[in-house]
Amino acid sequence: MIPGEFQYFAPTTVDEAVSLLQQHGEDAKLLGGGHSLLPAMKLRLTTPAVLIDVTKISDIKGVSVNGSVTVGGGATYHAVASNDAVRSACGVLADCVAQIGDTQVRNRGTIGGSLAHADPAADLPAVALALGATITAQGPGGARTINADDMFVEMLTTALEPNEIITSVSFPRLGAGAGAAYEKMRQPASRYAIVGVAAYVKLGSDGNVAEARVAVTGAGPKATRQDATEAAITGTNGDDAAIAAATDKAGEDMDYLGDIHASEEYRRAMVKVYTKRALAKAIAQARG
Amino acid sequence: MTTVTKMVGQSLKRREDPKLITGKGNFLDDIKLQGMSHAAILRSPYAHAKINSIDTSKAKALPGVIAIFTGDDMMDINPLPCAWQAGRVQNNANTPRALSAGKALYAGDGIAMVVAENRYIARDALDLIEVDYEPLPVVVDAKKATEAGAPQLHENAPNNICMTWDCGHKDATDAAFSSAEVTVKEQIINQRLIPTPMETRGALARYDEATGEFTVWMTSQAPHVMRLLLTAFVFGIPETKLRCISPNVGGGFGQKIFCYADMAFTMWAARKLGRPVKFVEDRSENYRSSTHGRDHITDVEIAGTKDGTITGLRIETWANLGAYLSTIAPGIPTTLYGRIATGVYKIPAAYCKVHGVYTNTAMVDAYRGAGRPEASYLIERMVDRFAAEIGMDPAEVRRKNFIQPSDFPYDNGMGLLPYDSGNYEPALDRALAMVGYADFRNEQAEARKQGKYLGLGISSYVEICGVAPSAWIGLPGEGWGAGLWESANIRVHLTGQVVVTTGSLPHGQGVETTFAQIVADELGVPYESVLIEHSDTAGTPFGYGTYGSRSLAVGGTALYKSVAKVKEKAKKIAAHMLEANPADIEYADGKAYVKGSPDQAKTLGEIALQASVAYSLPEGVEPFLDETTYYDPPNCTFPFGTHIAIVEVDGATGMVAIKRYVGVDDVGNPINPLIIDGQLHGGIAQGIAQALYEHGVYDENGQLVSGTLMDYAVPNAAMLPNYELDRTVTPSPVNPMGVKGAGEAGTIGSAQAIMNAVIDALAPFGVKHLQMPATAERVWRAMQSH
Ligand SMILES: Cc1cc2nc3c(=O)[nH]c(=O)nc-3n(C[C@H](O)[C@H](O)[C@H](O)COP(=O)(O)OP(=O)(O)OC[C@H]3O[C@@H](n4cnc5c(N)ncnc54)[C@H](O)[C@@H]3O)c2cc1C
């Protein structure tokens, strides 16, 4: 488990990193926490000639909470999970990253790395979709923002250009009347999601569900919004019957993946189970 | 008067640990020699292929590459031996070579070796070797491998059958079944497991051209045996030309007992190149190419009466042995499995037939418990099946059929020496009491009404430790190609310090601690002044190594006997010093004195000094206190116990949560309860892992799909319950200390406790059996289809 030969750079600014990316083109890969990239390199599934480590760029490691929750692309899961301000402003985000892998993974893995890698079983993409997060990426032409909804294109593929760096990700504050939850069945070996469902709801002044977003990860090739479920729960009073009806629609038009841990059929069934759990929890939280 | 505190029975922390937990251990990969080179192995990506040609020219040209060798280069050494040809294997024992030549028989089979200046270059060079493979059809399933038309691995093993072995009484068993009131039949799979020691395996070989001597540092549980096998069988050189050293070994679980290709190819290359050669597996190689465990497919039937008496047991097992025979592979599904298949029960007629089968998979050999977990899983599942069939409480069925205390020594009719001792009911009762059995059944009924699925599983097990005597296990009997005694030497130095050398090889069992406890008590010296040395063939007496829970019962007894000899000699010298008759001398608490005059005593230190300087010794007594024992026990020991698990199954997902885990074990007299508990914890964890998580999976092309720790689910602490443990103590009559062994009991007792609990929880769905591991999906499917 020894990777092929590579050159290593550790820039301290985003500009420097971008120009290194420009310079080395297709040979180069950004290195975040390395918890997806390095295992692949050790198995020689990928052999980049140049690694550009972004974890020494202090500008992209911060976590701040004001109007929204802004997390640097190079911030670790641990930095997010252990941040009290994040926990009170957007508890679901802290909950989600606290369930990623194990302690070592959380101490190294980064928010930007997770979203850029877009592993079909990664946790964070579901929460990013359900919360409508905005990803800020910087490339040679400057910075731009990408809506989470546009980010995940297919398995391991995102809207990011090869010469762009995720500098920050912004999540909404969950104020009064809003609730969100992430419910996950762990794959027993890796602890990735066999199925993970993130649900966000906002109640109207009448107490009914005014807005809902539900996203599934783990079950198929990429994290996906559950439009039919969202439509079914919106406008209802969010009681058990409403949740059950909305859950019935979950995972209906999705592609599935099967492996030794769970078949497609099982994942399909579990999408419903976990959608129900996540919705119920989000609604309960929104009711306060 | 000084009060002497007994060391035996105390929960001392292991003296081995401070070094290990502060990172000061010395493992194979920590060792660096002058001029050391590094080996990497090219492994076949195909599970079955003809190798038409290997072109190493590009790889050789890579700067830093010293040499590249293929299997053809190493034809001057013999294949690795199979040391336990149990079950009439003789005619078709196909064992691996240092490197395979011409053909690869499993994905991971080593076919070429790069030696380079460092391991990075060695690894890079592998990618430059060009091999022309001709893929051949593959078979990975032991039962399918025996069917007509299956791909054939070895010309001398038609239908891939390596051996067919049986034990018990076929006719009597058939008769019991034809007249039985109740019979229950099941196909039970004991899935393949990958042992996963924390440290992977490897070897570092040095060859001294001047003397023609090899030194090999190896991750081995049995360096003396490796010395024997590598010299006498593989290299054909005098045994004295090889010294084997096991430095700290980071867990073995059986995987490190065996003679491996890397020992041979590092030695061969070191001699060829005149430089030390190191090879350390990476985790992927450990998973693909070191031995696996279990992998049985079994058709099993149990017969009995409607009121719960078991009258017959009939077993037919297809044991997957992998592509070649590993060192002791044939003995595992035979002697250590079939012969104990009747478990803790008096079964009047039992028969077990085993087919050992070659397949295109990694070799299968002993893994913690080795045969006994497979046996106890089988009988304990079938007892539950039988209980369910006749509608009787599974605890009562067990109680009714237990071998009774008055039956010992008990011959189970399966060709084992009689079970030495046992008293099964108190362990069952204690476990039932701890778990609150009666209350649980009410709670379970209540929970079911609310759609909650609780289950309780009982496992009453017996196992075999300290396998012996040599006259039984050896060639004429069970086919083990040597003896199974153990040795210990003890010397009391001039300064009064006690040095023990043992042929055992602790690698996590805490033997340095327990052996010192025994010596401290028996000799009456401070625990701190006892040093236990091991693991180097230079300086320790021959021993068969540490496995099969044998170090205490066999090696520890050898030590106990050596201590007794030292005391005898010390008494003679003390008599001389006290000008008394040796017959009047007593030895206690580290002193020798004339009976009735303990204040006129000579301490062991004084006696050792006298013995060592040798200015004045009794007539005919040699200097020095130095005694050795080679101990061959008269029988195995038979630890037993009852484990009970309570689980809850999530009706929506099939996920299993363990609510309680109770274990009552009887490992004989406890030397160090803390170490026993530690061994049980680890063992139970591995049994639970088998029941719920771990599975070595090959696809039909022979690729190991669970080939990394991202897919092979070794549980972490959060996936395991708290263990509630207790003991009963039935001393073994086999050895003077009354000890049995505790290294594997946890693994042997646990998997079926969990599975019986899961299946009990699923009773409302009509589920009668479920294969391991009981993954969420498997459980969910079982609920769906009923
Ligand atoms: C044992 C184990 C268990 C795991 N369990 C889980 C789990 O339960 N849930 C889960 O979601 N994940 C899990 N992971 C994956 C983990 O979360 C990874 O850390 C994550 O997928 C990638 O983040 P990273 O920072 O490590 O990125 P890296 O591995 O360094 O990089 C991944 C990819 O992202 C790119 N990249 C990195 N940083 C940036 C950036 N700032 N901008 C643009 N591109 C970037 C890299 O070029 C690379 O292509 C696990 C990993 C391991 C090893």
Side-chain angles (χ1 to χ4, degrees):
Chain A
M1 297 182 70
I2 293 173
E5 201 174 324
F6 59 86
Q7 258 189 302
Y8 173 83
F9 295 95
T12 53
T13 66
V14 173
D15 287 344
E16 219 183 312
V18 170
S19 73
L20 280 164
L21 271 178
Q22 283 283 84
Q23 192 183 325
H24 295 284
E26 280 184 2
D27 290 343
K29 273 235 162 236
L30 296 177
L31 176 68
H35 269 27
S36 289
L37 184 53
L38 294 185
M41 287 171 64
K42 285 180 177 179
L43 295 169
R44 301 208 178 195
L45 300 173
T46 176
T47 49
V50 176
L51 287 188
I52 303 163
D53 187 343
V54 301
T55 64
K56 307 290 185 283
I57 306 173
S58 48
D59 282 355
I60 66 166
K61 300 191 73 161
V63 178
S64 63
V65 178
N66 4 71
S68 60
V69 175
T70 306
V71 180
T76 63
Y77 302 131
H78 174 74
V80 176
S82 61
N83 187 304
D84 289 340
V86 173
R87 201 161 272 286
S88 61
C90 188
V92 65
L93 175 61
D95 277 352
C96 166
V97 295
Q99 292 180 57
I100 291 176
D102 49 39
T103 308
Q104 287 84 348
V105 173
R106 293 191 293 275
N107 281 339
R108 301 281 313 176
T110 64
I111 300 297
S114 175
L115 296 179
H117 190 61
D119 192 291
D123 296 297
L124 192 58
V127 169
L129 285 173
L131 293 182
T134 329
I135 296 135
T136 304
Q138 190 169 324
R144 66 166 177 137
T145 57
I146 306 167
N147 292 327
D149 279 332
D150 301 324
M151 181 72 177
F152 307 106
V153 179
E154 52 183 283
M155 180 142 97
L156 302 174
T157 309
T158 67
L160 223 52
E161 295 297 331
N163 53 12
E164 283 183 317
I165 298 176
I166 297 178
T167 52
S168 70
V169 186
S170 156
F171 299 87
R173 273 187 99 107
L174 298 179
Y182 179 64
E183 289 289 308
K184 164 189 189 182
M185 172 182 273
R186 284 199 163 96
Q187 195 257 61
S190 69
R191 340 287 191 217
Y192 271 101
I194 282 180
V195 165
V197 179
Y200 164 87
V201 293
K202 179 126 179 74
L203 303 181
S205 48
D206 57 358
N208 287 345
V209 177
E211 194 188 342
R213 276 195 302 270
V214 177
V216 170
T217 189
K222 62 168 187 155
T224 33
R225 288 272 299 270
Q226 301 296 310
D227 302 334
T229 303
E230 293 172 3
I233 195 75
T234 306
T236 71
N237 62 4
D239 64 4
D240 287 352
I243 292 173
T247 294
D248 266 352
K249 305 222 157 26
E252 286 298 319
D253 342 288
M254 245 182 76
D255 291 334
Y256 284 90
L257 290 176
D259 58 28
I260 58 170
H261 303 286
S263 65
E264 293 181 31
E265 186 192 352
Y266 182 65
R267 284 186 154 98
R268 184 183 284 276
M270 289 308 109
V271 164
K272 294 195 197 300
V273 172
Y274 284 82
T275 298
K276 186 172 173 187
R277 291 179 182 180
L279 263 180
K281 207 167 154 185
I283 290 170
Q285 201 189 82
R287 293 203 174 119
Chain B
M1 275 240 21
T2 53
T3 49
V4 179
T5 324
K6 278 269 177 214
M7 287 290 143
V8 167
Q10 281 202 41
S11 285
L12 297 190
K13 288 188 180 171
R14 296 194 299 197
R15 54 163 62 173
E16 304 69 349
D17 288 349
K19 178 172 104 167
L20 298 174
I21 62 181
T22 55
K24 300 292 194 300
N26 183 41
F27 295 87
L28 174 70
D29 214 9
D30 294 322
I31 300 168
K32 295 179 176 65
L33 302 180
Q34 188 67 30
M36 186 170 81
S37 62
H38 298 263
I41 298 300
L42 184 69
R43 298 184 181 280
S44 170
Y46 296 101
H48 197 186
K50 194 162 164 279
I51 298 162
N52 289 327
S53 64
I54 302 180
D55 181 350
T56 60
S57 52
K58 283 194 193 125
K60 269 188 183 139
L62 186 72
V65 170
I66 299 164
I68 297 181
F69 304 113
T70 65
D72 287 332
D73 296 319
M74 296 188 189
M75 284 299 167
D76 57 340
I77 54 173
N78 297 313
L80 308 179
C82 174
W84 194 357
Q85 302 199 0
R88 307 154 202 125
V89 168
Q90 281 76 359
N91 297 327
N92 52 16
N94 296 288
T95 58
R97 287 189 159 273
L99 291 172
S100 291
K103 247 184 173 189
L105 292 186
Y106 69 98
D109 208 349
I111 58 168
M113 172 190 200
V114 175
V115 185
E117 293 298 341
N118 63 46
R119 89 174 40 158
Y120 305 98
I121 296 171
R123 174 63 188 85
D124 285 346
L126 293 183
D127 291 348
L128 301 175
I129 299 175
E130 288 165 4
V131 184
D132 177 10
Y133 296 100
E134 193 178 314
L136 297 169
V138 169
V139 63
V140 299
D141 175 289
K143 206 167 177 180
K144 286 188 189 141
T146 62
E147 287 165 7
Q152 299 292 301
L153 273 77
H154 302 280
E155 274 174 19
N156 61 2
N159 301 320
N160 299 309
I161 292 173
C162 164
M163 70 200 185
T164 304
W165 176 97
D166 64 356
C167 71
H169 303 284
K170 184 170 189 311
D171 294 344
T173 306
D174 290 345
F177 273 86
S178 46
S179 64
E181 285 177 21
V182 184
T183 66
V184 183
K185 189 172 183 169
E186 198 64 73
Q187 182 169 88
I188 292 185
I189 293 172
N190 204 292
Q191 84 272 27
R192 181 178 285 246
L193 301 178
I194 308 180
T196 320
M198 192 87 90
E199 181 202 24
T200 59
R201 286 186 337 86
L204 164 58
R206 180 173 67 191
Y207 180 69
D208 184 332
E209 278 169 78
T211 60
E213 285 169 9
F214 290 96
T215 306
V216 181
W217 289 262
M218 48 175 60
T219 52
S220 175
Q221 298 174 229
H224 284 282
V225 179
M226 293 309 107
R227 181 195 204 195
L228 184 67
L229 298 182
L230 288 164
T231 55
F233 293 88
V234 182
F235 280 80
I237 56 174
E239 190 194 340
T240 47
K241 295 292 182 192
L242 171 61
R243 174 180 174 192
C244 293
I245 304 169
S246 287
N248 285 141
V249 175
F253 310 118
Q255 194 187 59
K256 293 176 181 169
I257 301 172
F258 318 120
C259 187
Y260 280 97
D262 42 73
M263 298 168 183
F265 66 62
T266 53
M267 283 174 67
W268 188 92
R271 180 169 68 180
K272 182 95 181 166
L273 299 170
R275 287 180 65 171
V277 180
K278 184 194 260 187
F279 171 78
V280 179
E281 290 175 330
D282 61 32
R283 182 63 63 189
S284 303
E285 287 180 296
N286 178 267
Y287 266 38
R288 287 167 73 202
S289 306
S290 283
T291 56
H292 296 174
R294 321 272 193 260
D295 206 344
H296 287 192
I297 299 170
T298 298
D299 290 336
V300 54
E301 290 166 277
I302 192 165
T305 61
K306 284 185 189 139
D307 66 353
T309 300
I310 302 169
T311 56
L313 180 69
R314 192 158 54 191
I315 298 167
E316 183 168 11
T317 294
W318 286 260
N320 196 335
L321 300 175
Y324 307 94
L325 289 186
S326 169
T327 314
I328 65 171
I332 309 307
T334 53
T335 301
L336 294 179
Y337 167 72
R339 299 213 188 279
I340 191 85
T342 53
V344 287
Y345 310 106
K346 245 180 171 168
I347 303 182
Y351 176 71
C352 174
K353 183 173 186 179
V354 178
H355 311 273
V357 184
Y358 292 113
T359 65
N360 297 112
T361 63
M363 293 181 284
V364 178
D365 206 325
Y367 167 50
R368 199 172 194 170
R372 291 99 83 209
E374 296 90 313
S376 56
Y377 178 66
L378 201 66
I379 182 69
E380 286 304 284
R381 272 279 44 246
M382 289 313 285
V383 167
D384 259 32
R385 277 289 274 111
F386 174 58
E389 196 74 17
I390 59 173
M392 195 166 156
D393 181 326
E396 289 319 305
V397 174
R398 286 177 168 80
R399 193 187 302 282
K400 182 163 188 155
N401 290 282
F402 275 159
I403 303 159
Q404 294 302 309
S406 57
D407 295 329
F408 293 97
Y410 175 78
D411 180 353
N412 72 352
M414 301 300 272
L416 207 58
L417 295 183
Y419 293 14
D420 67 339
S421 59
N423 191 4
Y424 303 144
E425 224 171 316
L428 173 68
D429 286 337
R430 179 77 192 118
L432 291 172
M434 283 167 74
V435 85
Y437 190 56
D439 293 345
F440 171 79
R441 289 297 179 203
N442 296 333
E443 193 190 331
Q444 180 181 41
E446 204 46 49
R448 277 180 186 161
K449 284 186 207 148
Q450 293 159 22
K452 277 176 73 179
Y453 306 105
L454 294 178
L456 180 145
I458 303 174
S459 150
S460 293
Y461 73 93
V462 59
E463 62 128 336
I464 317 170
C465 289
V467 169
S470 304
W472 172 69
I473 190 73
L475 272 182
E478 297 299 294
W480 171 271
L484 267 181
W485 42 262
E486 209 45 70
S487 65
N489 170 269
I490 176 163
R491 296 185 306 270
V492 187
H493 286 200
L494 174 148
T495 57
Q497 298 285 301
V498 182
V499 178
V500 171
T501 54
T502 164
S504 299
L505 188 128
H507 49 282
Q509 294 81 356
V511 165
E512 288 181 29
T513 304
T514 49
F515 278 23
Q517 285 177 273
I518 292 168
V519 173
D521 275 9
E522 291 302 317
L523 217 46
V525 296
Y527 167 77
E528 293 74 23
S529 63
V530 183
L531 174 70
I532 312 292
E533 292 187 328
H534 53 80
S535 304
D536 186 343
T537 58
T540 59
F542 188 93
Y544 282 96
T546 287
Y547 44 82
S549 307
R550 63 191 300 274
S551 288
L552 181 59
V554 191
T557 303
L559 175 57
Y560 181 88
K561 288 179 175 276
S562 292
V563 174
K565 291 179 189 170
V566 160
K567 284 196 286 193
E568 275 315 301
K569 185 167 176 182
K571 277 158 77 174
K572 276 188 203 153
I573 296 170
H576 180 72
M577 293 165 82
L578 294 164
E579 298 180 353
N581 185 339
D584 296 335
I585 301 290
E586 237 169 44
Y587 187 99
D589 300 342
K591 294 185 213 89
Y593 47 85
V594 176
K595 259 172 230 161
S597 326
D599 37 334
Q600 300 270 312
K602 294 290 171 194
T603 66
L604 180 68
E606 289 167 328
I607 300 167
L609 180 63
Q610 183 95 355
S612 183
V613 297
Y615 300 154
S616 170
L617 289 175
E619 189 67 35
V621 171
E622 290 176 9
F624 221 79
L625 296 175
D626 179 334
E627 299 290 349
T628 300
T629 304
Y630 290 83
Y631 174 66
D632 198 344
N635 193 357
C636 317
T637 62
F638 295 82
F640 62 87
T642 290
H643 287 204
I644 299 181
I646 295 180
V647 304
E648 182 172 349
V649 170
D650 180 333
T653 63
M655 293 241 282
V656 175
I658 304 173
K659 301 303 225 189
R660 298 273 304 275
Y661 195 97
V662 166
V664 179
D665 300 278
D666 193 315
V667 298
N669 284 326
I671 304 293
N672 183 324
L674 182 63
I675 289 179
I676 294 172
D677 286 352
Q679 289 293 312
L680 284 165
H681 282 201
I684 295 168
Q686 279 170 312
I688 293 174
Q690 171 160 30
L692 297 182
Y693 308 119
E694 296 185 15
H695 192 181
V697 185
Y698 283 99
D699 67 15
E700 56 197 23
N701 298 318
Q703 298 299 324
L704 183 63
V705 191
S706 58
T708 76
L709 286 164
M710 292 293 257
D711 283 303
Y712 186 81
V714 177
N716 65 18
M719 293 156 80
L720 296 164
N722 284 323
Y723 306 118
E724 304 166 49
L725 301 183
D726 201 357
R727 257 184 282 289
T728 61
V729 176
T730 309
S732 169
V734 168
N735 57 64
M737 288 187 289
V739 296
K740 297 180 188 168
E744 295 160 295
T747 316
I748 294 163
S750 49
Q752 59 276 10
I754 300 290
M755 290 307 293
N756 284 344
V758 171
I759 293 160
D760 181 46
L762 298 177
F765 298 92
V767 175
K768 292 180 169 167
H769 181 66
L770 201 64
Q771 307 293 6
M772 299 189 286
T775 60
E777 175 163 1
R778 262 205 188 137
V779 174
W780 177 82
R781 279 186 186 281
M783 293 189 290
Q784 302 299 305
S785 58
H786 286 85

